[in-house]
């Protein structure tokens, strides 16, 4: 699908009518004076960048544990790549770039140590206490767990940023798009601050969400190639990647493999970004929204892939799942990481003081079990890989090797 270059934004001129307006924000749960130098969405973005949660992403797993190599993506570098793509999409569609970037920067705050392995372990351990959902945990972090400001817990972000963070996978109407019930932390917060769970999100949040797909579809292949678990020959299974590989080899027949891989990856990002722009332009032309709320109530996602790219996206995800995420070497590390998380959870439930705060530990000892489990969940979910390993070594005689 082709896009209309004459309709693109380049960071100059006015926003489109369907863009979120930072000067007409629905505001914050706790009212604050406006800034004379920054828009409301700029303030959100800045608050997100200065959080402890953002810094912790540096030592949280994307696919490979950090000590397996200095050049693999971490949650932080993944997040930066997502934010860059989200901002590029927002600029092209004449949206509010700061809102798109803010949602992208906070979207993975709730991820546990050891990536999805830690999330799966906590979900199993908390099955009787509300489970675990990293999207809901992101909301808890920015509305409660970050304690930096004198007048409120959390970051007191605008309605628009919180809406985009919560509706990461589309509307939440009783059940999320995954078929699971809406997570309890989201439902509880929504009672205080209605985030319109049943509607779509702003277009800024939509481009942040699809930027996440574009980023990890590309860089997980790159990291898989770097690790040797994926080979260039395997990528011939993917028509999109095989076509890009053929283009690069035809133009640069003697190109060294590291440059070849980079050329393929950059072309993959370009194809996907330009496809989303073209589809969004077509959807906007068809729906003719005159406000951000028109986008929310359109009844469909406006920032998405074309049918051909959606099929390619599905193929890439299946390929990564089978060839990388479930590779025996990765699964061995995952099993050991699961053991670490489960051991820590059991230790902290048995002796909350083992978390290092004796006063909190004493108070938690008298809590009902499900409430204590939620406190332990918050503590473990906030750990980095390195901190979780160190805590395990402090509490146990043997810590599994994550190699």
């Amino acid at each position: 699908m082709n896009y209309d270059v004459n309709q693109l934004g380049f960071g100059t001129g006015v926003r489109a009518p369907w863009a979120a307006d930072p000067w007409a924000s629905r505001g914050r749960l706790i009212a604050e004076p406006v800034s004379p130098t920054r828009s409301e969405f700029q303030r959100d973005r800045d608050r997100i960048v200065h959080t402890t949660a953002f810094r912790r992403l540096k030592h949280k797993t994307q696919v490979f544990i950090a000590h397996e190599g200095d050049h693999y993506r971490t949650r932080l570098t993944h997040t930066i790549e997502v934010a860059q793509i989200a901002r590029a999409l927002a600029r092209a569609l004449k949206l509010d770039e700061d809102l798109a970037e803010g949602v992208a920067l906070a979207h993975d705050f709730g991820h546990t140590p050891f990536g999805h392995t830690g999330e799966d372990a906590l979900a199993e351990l908390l099955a009787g206490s509300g489970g675990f959902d990293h999207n809901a945990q992101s909301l808890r972090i920015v509305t409660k767990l970050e304690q930096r400001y004198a007048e409120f817990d959390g970051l007191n972000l605008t309605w628009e940023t919180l809406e985009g963070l919560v509706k990461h996978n589309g509307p939440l109407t009783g059940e999320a798009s995954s078929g699971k019930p809406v997570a309890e932390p989201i439902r509880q917060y929504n009672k205080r601050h209605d985030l319109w769970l049943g509607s779509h999100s702003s277009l800024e949040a939509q481009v942040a969400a699809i930027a996440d797909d574009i980023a990890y579809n590309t860089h997980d292949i790159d990291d898989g190639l770097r690790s040797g678990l994926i080979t260039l020959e395997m990528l011939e299974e993917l028509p999109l990647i095989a076509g890009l590989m053929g283009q690069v080899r035809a133009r640069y027949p003697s190109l060294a493999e590291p440059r070849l891989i980079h050329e393929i990856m950059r072309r993959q990002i370009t194809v996907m970004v330009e496809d989303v722009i073209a589809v969004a332009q077509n959807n906007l032309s068809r729906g003719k929204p005159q406000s951000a709320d028109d986008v929310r109530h359109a009844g469909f996602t406006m920032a998405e892939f074309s049918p051909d790219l959606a099929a390619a996206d599905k193929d890439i995800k299946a390929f990564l799942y089978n060839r990388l995420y479930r590779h025996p070497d990765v699964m061995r590390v995952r099993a050991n990481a699961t053991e670490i998380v489960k051991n820590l959870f059991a230790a902290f439930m048995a002796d909350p003081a083992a978390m290092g705060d004796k006063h909190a530990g004493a108070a938690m000892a008298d809590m009902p079990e499900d409430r204590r489990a939620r406190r332990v969940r918050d503590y473990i979910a906030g750990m980095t890989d390195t901190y979780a390993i160190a805590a395990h070594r402090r509490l146990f005689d043997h810590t599994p090797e994550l190699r």
Side-chain angles (χ1 to χ4, degrees):
M1 181 177 287
N2 295 323
Y3 58 92
D4 185 351
V5 68
N6 295 315
Q7 296 299 317
L8 294 182
F10 292 93
T12 59
V14 298
R15 294 173 178 81
W18 50 77
D21 185 351
W23 290 278
S25 168
R26 286 186 168 81
R28 306 174 188 275
L29 183 63
I30 299 171
E32 297 182 53
V34 299
S35 168
T37 59
R38 294 175 295 164
S39 78
E40 292 305 295
F41 301 152
Q42 284 178 287
R43 296 175 75 189
D44 281 1
R45 187 267 323 277
D46 295 348
R47 289 181 183 189
I48 288 164
V49 168
H50 288 286
T51 57
T52 300
F54 185 74
R55 293 192 296 277
R56 285 175 177 168
L57 295 176
K58 177 182 178 183
H59 293 294
K60 289 195 175 189
T61 295
Q62 178 63 24
V63 174
F64 296 98
I65 306 296
H67 64 238
E68 293 187 88
D70 291 338
H71 296 161
Y72 294 122
R73 269 74 173 188
T74 65
R75 281 287 161 189
L76 180 60
T77 57
H78 162 70
T79 294
I80 292 170
E81 292 182 34
V82 174
Q84 179 264 319
I85 295 171
R87 192 161 190 123
L89 287 168
R91 180 171 296 177
L93 297 171
K94 302 178 183 178
L95 307 176
D96 188 283
E97 297 176 39
D98 298 310
L99 176 57
E101 184 180 22
V103 173
L105 289 172
H107 85 281
D108 267 357
F109 273 11
H111 269 291
T112 65
F114 315 124
H116 288 287
T117 301
E119 180 176 3
D120 292 344
L122 284 182
E124 179 184 340
L125 291 163
L126 290 153
S129 303
F132 181 84
D133 176 86
H134 76 263
N135 205 31
Q137 192 68 15
S138 295
L139 181 68
R140 278 185 59 75
I141 288 169
V142 300
T143 60
K144 183 176 178 63
L145 299 181
E146 281 282 338
Q147 298 187 346
R148 307 173 59 82
Y149 296 92
E151 297 185 1
F152 46 79
D153 290 339
L155 308 182
N156 198 34
L157 301 175
T158 62
W159 184 94
E160 290 80 5
T161 298
L162 294 175
E163 176 220 22
L165 190 61
V166 164
K167 291 186 276 189
H168 189 60
N169 295 313
L172 304 179
T173 53
E175 291 192 348
S177 57
S178 61
K180 299 177 182 178
V182 176
E184 180 66 17
I186 295 176
R187 289 193 287 113
Q188 289 300 322
Y189 183 81
N190 197 61
K191 291 177 182 178
R192 302 170 56 210
H193 196 189
D194 185 0
L195 298 176
W196 296 10
L197 297 184
S199 75
H200 284 265
S201 60
S202 67
L203 195 49
E204 285 83 357
Q206 291 183 33
V207 301
I210 203 162
D212 187 23
D213 283 354
I214 295 170
Y216 76 71
N217 275 348
T218 307
H219 65 49
D220 285 2
I221 291 176
D222 188 20
D223 281 353
L225 289 167
R226 192 183 305 278
S227 72
L229 303 184
I230 292 174
T231 66
L232 288 170
E233 289 70 29
M234 291 177 186
L235 294 180
E236 297 286 353
E237 300 173 19
L238 300 169
L240 174 64
I241 309 301
L244 296 173
M245 198 183 317
Q247 292 174 17
V248 176
R249 282 174 165 160
R251 184 168 182 178
Y252 307 104
S254 302
L255 199 61
E257 185 169 295
R259 292 177 188 256
L260 171 67
I261 292 170
H262 178 68
E263 287 294 327
I264 297 167
M265 296 300 100
R266 67 190 287 262
R267 281 166 168 75
Q268 181 183 338
I269 292 174
T270 298
V271 167
M272 290 185 152
V273 165
E274 292 183 352
D275 184 77
V276 171
I277 291 170
V279 171
Q281 284 184 341
N282 183 64
N283 285 337
L284 289 164
S285 178
R286 176 164 58 96
K288 295 180 171 57
Q290 295 304 304
S291 69
D293 282 353
D294 285 350
V295 173
R296 293 184 175 97
H297 298 307
F300 62 95
T301 302
M302 290 195 168
E304 58 185 356
F305 293 122
S306 65
D308 286 347
L309 260 292
D313 172 66
K314 184 177 180 180
D315 288 344
I316 292 169
K317 285 180 168 65
F319 174 88
L320 288 170
Y321 183 87
N322 293 320
R323 293 287 197 172
L324 183 62
Y325 307 148
R326 289 298 181 268
H327 189 282
D329 289 354
V330 174
M331 292 302 292
R332 184 181 65 253
V333 173
R334 286 194 59 162
N336 289 339
T338 297
E339 181 180 347
I340 289 174
V341 172
K342 289 185 173 182
N343 287 346
L344 289 175
F345 186 87
F348 297 147
M349 285 294 289
D351 179 16
M355 293 193 299
D357 186 333
K358 294 182 179 179
H359 299 293
M364 287 174 61
D366 296 327
M367 287 180 180
E369 184 173 351
D370 60 341
R371 187 179 171 197
R372 187 164 72 251
R374 290 193 291 270
R375 289 286 292 273
V376 172
R377 169 202 65 192
D378 289 343
Y379 184 64
I380 292 178
M383 289 181 169
T384 62
D385 297 1
T386 50
Y387 191 87
I389 293 168
H392 194 278
R393 287 174 176 161
R394 174 171 56 85
L395 296 170
F396 295 92
D397 293 333
H398 170 72
T399 296
E401 287 290 329
L402 298 183
R403 296 183 183 278

